[in-house]
Amino acid sequence: MTLILPTPAGRDFLDRPDPQAEPAPPSGLVTMGVEEEFLLVDRHTRAPSGSAPHVLEAAATVLGSQAQGEFYTAQVEVCTQPVSTAAALRAELVRLRRVMGDAAAGEGCLLVASGTPVTDPAEPLTVSDDERYQRMAHGFAAALGQYDGIVCGCHIHVGVTSRAQALALANHMRPWLPTLQHLAANSPFVHGRDTGYASRRAVEHTRWPTVGPAPMLPDEAAYEEAVTSLMAERGLLDRRMIYWYARPSEHVPTLEIRVADVNADVDTVVLLAALVRALATTLLTDISQGRPVPMFPETALYEAHRMAARHGMEGVGLDPATGCTLPAHILAERLLAKTAPALAVAGDLSLVEQHLWQLRTYGGGAARQRAAYGHHGRLRDVVDYLAETTAAA
């Protein structure tokens, strides 16, 4: 059930010069890295399986700290090293998926990249044996409600020189993040049914406090004040529970973008990272030239994210700057136009155009999950498609 996507024929996604004329990636590029959260599902039942402790033990012999646990024992996470090229990032992602997938197979599991589980677990999920996660489960039980809370994201990091630079980038990125969310939507199924959303993960994740667009923060003092207030008012355990869609990392010198579902198609992940890096590069130029932060109503920004979660690539979205409703692929074209010069300098323009063409032609992750279900009306086929595609990289 692995979907093989051809390269585009004829005209490119947007008209541009001959790709052979694109320069080689220069030194000094902004670095990028990715964290991917995966589901472990039982090979026989296709239901989430709490096998993470043993899977991580096996994977860590090869990956070390690049293999990590997550909130539930039915989840694992991998973290790339910081890289400067899309090719290096893809190679890292493929290696990490291969090792983690082999470790999962050794425990009778499949490694699955989906923002939410397609089917329910056979028994209640278990929170990982980690003091912090245990405290979160106890302190925020009401936030989880009747939903089991298992969600898997893809977090993209871009290197920054300071927290002040990270905050400035986060301010300027706000109107562009809904478009990235459209591209990344990959979680239509929850509890064995189609929710009608392309990214149900985006909805369920908001049960946790602080999930949402980052506030406008002019400087580090404002950031510290906002974090202190949130921790006091919402009872956060620590600063790592600041789950804004764009946040300065607390442990590495990066800005972390947190709007994406994890995607089975590794090329979608590379596309997202290349776009985030190019957008950061472009916006750093805007900032250095003193261009003002785009201003628009907060309600418009929240609605843009809601529409991205609802429709993914197969519908319409909202341009928060103008309030206009537009097809998602037009929003993607605008993002491409904004970032094209930076993509060309990095040598990523042809790659991004090709992957955007594939998403527009064959649909995003949510559409592909629904297509797998549509063949025979079996959820098992959806899980098999996701597992095969996750491993196919």
Side-chain angles (χ1 to χ4, degrees):
M1 296 211 36
T2 302
L3 181 61
I4 305 299
L5 302 181
T7 55
R11 297 177 58 140
D12 281 325
F13 195 79
L14 291 181
D15 290 329
R16 59 169 179 80
D18 184 345
Q20 297 302 318
E22 293 174 21
S27 60
L29 285 173
V30 173
T31 57
M32 55 187 171
V34 170
E35 300 169 358
E36 290 192 290
E37 299 166 352
F38 297 104
L39 293 164
L40 296 172
V41 302
D42 183 270
R43 180 187 303 279
H44 301 292
T45 67
R46 304 317 198 261
S49 169
S51 302
H54 297 299
V55 172
L56 289 169
E57 183 179 5
T61 61
V62 179
L63 300 180
S65 62
Q66 288 184 275
Q68 299 181 7
E70 255 299 321
F71 189 81
Y72 285 109
T73 59
Q75 296 172 280
V76 292
E77 181 179 54
V78 296
C79 309
T80 73
Q81 299 289 348
V83 298
S84 296
T85 68
L89 179 65
R90 192 182 195 283
E92 266 279 274
L93 292 167
V94 169
R95 180 180 70 90
L96 295 170
R97 288 181 176 207
R98 176 179 54 79
V99 174
M100 191 64 79
D102 288 346
E107 296 298 323
C109 294
L110 302 171
L111 191 71
V112 170
S114 177
T116 51
V118 175
T119 63
D120 282 336
E123 55 190 35
L125 294 171
T126 303
V127 176
S128 296
D129 186 17
D130 173 273
E131 191 221 355
R132 180 172 179 270
Y133 288 147
Q134 291 289 333
R135 289 173 61 200
M136 288 171 62
H138 177 74
F140 296 92
L144 300 181
Q146 296 301 309
Y147 183 64
D148 56 29
I150 192 167
V151 293
C152 293
C154 172
H155 306 152
I156 300 166
H157 292 254
V158 288
V160 294
T161 59
S162 65
R163 175 153 291 168
Q165 187 182 76
L167 292 170
L169 268 178
N171 289 340
H172 282 257
M173 276 195 175
R174 281 156 47 98
W176 299 103
L177 295 185
T179 300
L180 291 168
Q181 189 176 350
H182 277 283
L183 296 172
N186 183 43
S187 50
F189 293 98
V190 169
H191 295 315
R193 66 179 182 86
D194 191 329
T195 64
Y197 279 80
S199 175
R200 189 65 190 183
R201 180 201 70 90
V203 178
E204 301 298 349
H205 199 207
T206 58
R207 293 172 182 268
W208 290 97
T210 78
V211 173
M216 289 285 293
L217 298 170
D219 52 38
E220 292 181 79
Y223 172 77
E224 292 297 333
E225 181 179 352
V227 170
T228 300
S229 295
L230 283 172
M231 291 185 66
E233 294 170 4
R234 305 198 182 184
L236 307 186
L237 300 187
D238 51 40
R239 297 161 72 101
R240 290 162 60 195
M241 285 193 71
I242 301 294
Y243 295 141
W244 296 332
Y245 293 154
R247 71 174 187 183
S249 173
E250 289 293 331
H251 63 283
V252 290
T254 66
L255 177 69
E256 182 182 5
I257 306 304
R258 300 173 54 86
V259 294
D261 291 356
V262 68
N263 268 259
D265 176 17
V266 74
D267 289 324
T268 298
V269 182
V270 176
L271 164 69
L272 294 167
L275 282 170
V276 168
R277 195 258 295 272
L279 183 59
T281 302
T282 302
L283 295 177
L284 284 174
T285 299
D286 290 351
I287 293 166
S288 69
Q289 294 175 350
R291 296 181 183 174
V293 175
M295 300 301 293
F296 39 82
E298 290 292 300
T299 53
L301 185 60
Y302 276 89
E303 179 63 10
H305 280 292
R306 188 198 68 80
M307 293 180 72
R310 180 70 174 82
H311 299 294
M313 281 297 290
E314 285 64 53
V316 297
L318 186 71
D319 179 352
T322 65
C324 295
T325 301
L326 297 169
H329 71 85
I330 298 297
L331 294 172
E333 289 177 10
R334 291 187 173 185
L335 176 58
L336 178 59
K338 175 72 173 178
T339 58
L343 289 167
V345 168
D348 293 341
L349 184 55
S350 295
L351 174 148
V352 166
E353 288 178 332
Q354 174 182 323
H355 294 331
L356 283 175
W357 180 89
Q358 289 174 343
L359 283 180
R360 180 173 177 181
T361 303
Y362 298 100
R368 297 179 197 183
Q369 286 198 40
R370 286 168 170 147
Y373 180 76
H375 289 310
H376 302 290
R378 298 185 307 204
L379 294 169
R380 184 186 187 92
D381 291 343
V382 181
V383 178
D384 288 349
Y385 158 72
L386 289 166
E388 291 172 15
T389 307
T390 303

